[in-house]
């Protein structure tokens, strides 16, 4: 069974930093691209970053480019998101999601339960 | 960036009746590999999103055949043939032809 478990969320002041983690199990993590998607309270879904299996192709949404960094450790079956220079508008539930990985397109299939990041003074 | 527009914003459906959601993209989602990268997700209340449909019309593992995706190019739809109580939530379309991946604004489906 595919499982994705996020951790690392919490309350942080504007300008602060956090590191989110996603522990993967139940599949060959090293073979799949991975994504981070967030959802602000009461709002829709916003894709923010993707990383391929070998970590040599990274993508970011403009809203987080230069502030957030995606990474992974295939030996530890883990995905990470470093959040720096946090703003109020970064408050959201952050989901880790596996990419379907079957073709040239990009699309999450399995999602974690999410971790809440609250940016507030 | 590709803009995804969903209609309607909300839908109230009698159990056993059909429901339909439309999604339009600002650019064609037809890739040079011949596939069209349009996905549908359902986020049930209090839960994470779950994949229903990929590449316009392929049902993901475990998704009942009451859910049917169709469309091409820039115009797509998701049809539920007979809505059940467990189908309530917010439905999102998403384009996956190239980053940034973008979602529609969502359609909230409720039971009458």
């Amino acid at each position: 069974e595919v499982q994705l478990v996020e951790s690392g969320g919490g309350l942080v002041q504007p300008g602060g930093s956090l590191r989110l983690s996603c522990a993967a199990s139940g599949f060959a993590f090293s073979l799949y691209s991975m994504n981070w998607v967030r959802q602000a309270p009461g709002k829709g879904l916003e894709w923010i970053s993707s990383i391929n299996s070998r970590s040599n192709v990274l993508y970011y949404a403009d809203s987080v480019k230069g502030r957030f960094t995606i990474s992974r450790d295939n030996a530890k079956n883990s995905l990470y998101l470093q959040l720096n220079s946090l703003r109020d508008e970064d408050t959201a539930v952050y989901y880790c999601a596996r990419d379907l990985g079957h073709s040239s397109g990009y699309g999450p299939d399995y999602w974690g339960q999410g971790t809440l990041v609250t940016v507030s003074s | 960036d590709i803009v995804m527009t969903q209609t309607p914003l909300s839908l109230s459906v009698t159990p056993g009746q059909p429901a339909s959601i439309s999604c339009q993209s600002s650019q064609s989602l037809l890739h040079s590999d011949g596939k069209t990268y349009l996905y549908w997700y359902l986020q049930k209340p209090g839960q994470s999103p779950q994949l229903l449909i990929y590449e316009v019309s392929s049902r993901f593992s475990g998704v009942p055949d009451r859910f049917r995706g169709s469309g091409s190019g820039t115009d797509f739809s998701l049809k539920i043939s007979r809505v059940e109580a467990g189908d309530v939530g917010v439905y999102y379309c998403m384009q996956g032809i190239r980053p940034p991946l973008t979602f529609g604004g969502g359609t909230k489906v409720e039971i009458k």
Side-chain angles (χ1 to χ4, degrees), chain A residues 102-116:
Chain A
H102 66 303
S103 59
S104 304
Y106 304 85
D109 55 3
Y110 291 96
W111 299 59
Q113 86 289 348
T115 187
L116 176 62

Side-chain angles (χ1 to χ4, degrees), chain B residues 42-50 86-91:
Chain B
L42 166 59
Q43 187 173 30
K44 296 182 179 181
Q47 295 187 17
S48 306
Q50 57 189 84
D87 299 336
V88 299
V90 181
Y91 290 77

Side-chain angles (χ1 to χ4, degrees), chain A residues 39 95 102-106 108 112, chain B residues 33 37 39 41 43 48 55 96 100:
Chain A
Q39 186 171 35
Y95 295 102
H102 66 303
S103 59
S104 304
Y106 304 85
Chain B
D33 67 2
Y37 292 105
Y39 302 76
Y41 296 90
Q43 187 173 30
S48 306
E55 292 171 18

Side-chain angles (χ1 to χ4, degrees), chain B residues 45-103:
Chain B
Q47 295 187 17
S48 306
Q50 57 189 84
L51 177 62
L52 296 175
I53 302 286
Y54 63 95
E55 292 171 18
V56 180
S57 59
S58 295
R59 277 185 297 276
F60 190 55
S61 174
V63 175
D65 60 8
R66 300 183 293 106
F67 292 88
R68 187 157 296 185
S70 63
S72 63
T74 61
D75 291 285
F76 306 94
S77 65
L78 175 69
K79 291 180 170 55
I80 311 171
S81 58
R82 297 172 306 280
V83 172
E84 297 180 358
D87 299 336
V88 299
V90 181
Y91 290 77
Y92 295 94
C93 60
M94 189 208 80
Q95 68 80 13
I97 192 170
R98 57 180 165 272
L101 312 187
T102 46
F103 292 88

